[in-house]
Amino acid sequence: MAFVRHDMDFLGGRRLRRLRQAQWSRAMVRETSLTPSDFIYPIFVMDAPEGRQPIHTMPGQSRLGLRDAVEVAREARDLGIPALAIFPNTQDDRRSEDGGEALNPDNLTCRVLRAIKDAVPEVGLVSDVALDPYTTHGHDGVMAGEVILNDETVEILVGQALNQTRAGSDVIAPSDMMDGRVGAIRRALDGEGHTDTLIMAYSAKYASSFYGPFRDAISSGNRLKGDKRTYQMDYANSDEALREAEMDLDEGADIIMVKPGMPYLDIIRRFKDTFNAPIAAYQVSGEYAMIEMGAKAGIVDRDAAMMESLFAFKRAGCDTILTYFAMDAARKLGA
Ligand code: PBG
């Protein structure tokens, strides 16, 4: 076959493929990097001395008994992952209308926090502040009829944050989306002398269909009455996310988060361009499950899709990524 050679003078010497020609030249000009220290690994825990109960909607993830949670914390530390986030699967008889179990100093989360702090003190511990693991109706706050009460919920969340901090939590992560909770928690923490406890605010948390497998993991999904649209954000909005983050920073948040992750990279970028603060993103359960299930169905190469998705977060402007891929990605990066 004879090729016609076109006049390419209009390129003026510019050929972007030159830098892509070899592994060395691509590596030389790579704009972002990914390391195990970019990750926070969210783990699910259950009330058992040991054992692992697979979560079917999240292939590769399990609810961990106490001993296994400590074991995973050790592995995470050895892989260079700086922090874990703890999510409890609460027993049925400990759930109530007002989620009072959140205030129990011996609740599952507190016991796990103490056990890991004791055995693996080098790992940072993030604990979620919201009532959904403890309520019979699966909402993040207390209800009066159909309404989620804001200020009454904040009162309980403050108690929950103090309870977790006393048990050893390093980072309080309010995921409830009540107004004013960051300021109220900061004040209460400082009042008890916990001035060094960080707050990572779920600032732009959207009412999303990608949380399904998580709700399965903590057994709150089948209980949930209605949806969370009166407190979590409308996915059609972007300016509102900036207002949320601005308020959280004013109220004392150390890190602001965007959640879910991949469908909201535009919000991450806006945060990065607007605020001089560390930015987290949560690659949520549904995003994880879609990649895992897609790989099982032969649609994508699992490891390649995992890495591409994590790099996308860094490129968008993330400083830290909460991801269920943390352990596997860290292993791959270390290899
Ligand atoms: C609850 C909470 C949720 C997630 C983290 N904290 C679910 C929800 O708001 O219903 C979702 C995480 C995930 O899907 O991986 N406050």
Side-chain angles (χ1 to χ4, degrees), residues 128 132 140 175 205 214-215 228 232 259 284-285 324:
D128 217 60
D132 56 320
D140 294 21
S175 71
K205 178 172 178 180
F214 172 97
R215 292 178 189 168
K228 300 191 176 183
Q232 299 180 351
K259 175 185 175 189
V284 300
S285 56
Y324 302 100

Side-chain angles (χ1 to χ4, degrees), residues 45-57:
V45 294
M46 60 179 180
D47 199 351
E50 60 184 358
R52 297 185 186 209
Q53 197 177 75
I55 302 161
H56 300 296
T57 50

Side-chain angles (χ1 to χ4, degrees), residues 248-266:
D248 288 349
L249 288 169
D250 284 348
E251 291 174 33
D254 301 283
I255 303 171
I256 47 178
M257 193 204 294
V258 176
K259 175 185 175 189
M262 278 175 75
Y264 297 87
L265 295 180
D266 58 321

Side-chain angles (χ1 to χ4, degrees), residues 40 83 126 170-174 181-182 186 197-204 244-258 271 275-282 317-322:
I40 296 173
V126 179
D170 301 295
V171 185
I172 294 298
R181 88 281 206 216
V182 171
R186 183 72 274 162
T197 302
L198 304 180
I199 296 180
M200 176 165 67
Y202 286 72
S203 297
E244 282 284 359
E246 193 174 75
M247 279 175 68
D248 288 349
L249 288 169
D250 284 348
E251 291 174 33
D254 301 283
I255 303 171
I256 47 178
M257 193 204 294
V258 176
F271 274 24
F275 304 108
N276 299 314
I279 294 158
Y282 200 141
C318 265
D319 297 288
T320 179
I321 310 162
L322 289 95

Side-chain angles (χ1 to χ4, degrees), residues 21-86:
Q21 66 183 291
Q23 181 54 38
W24 69 264
S25 63
R26 291 192 294 270
M28 189 172 68
V29 297
R30 202 163 212 199
E31 296 176 35
T32 55
S33 61
L34 190 67
T35 75
S37 64
D38 292 322
F39 306 138
I40 296 173
Y41 183 40
I43 61 168
F44 297 101
V45 294
M46 60 179 180
D47 199 351
E50 60 184 358
R52 297 185 186 209
Q53 197 177 75
I55 302 161
H56 300 296
T57 50
M58 299 179 72
Q61 304 300 312
S62 300
R63 300 184 192 100
L64 307 171
L66 208 64
R67 201 173 314 171
D68 292 73
V70 171
E71 187 52 40
V72 166
R74 264 197 208 100
E75 281 170 45
R77 175 201 55 198
D78 294 346
L79 285 166
I81 295 170
L84 298 181
I86 317 286

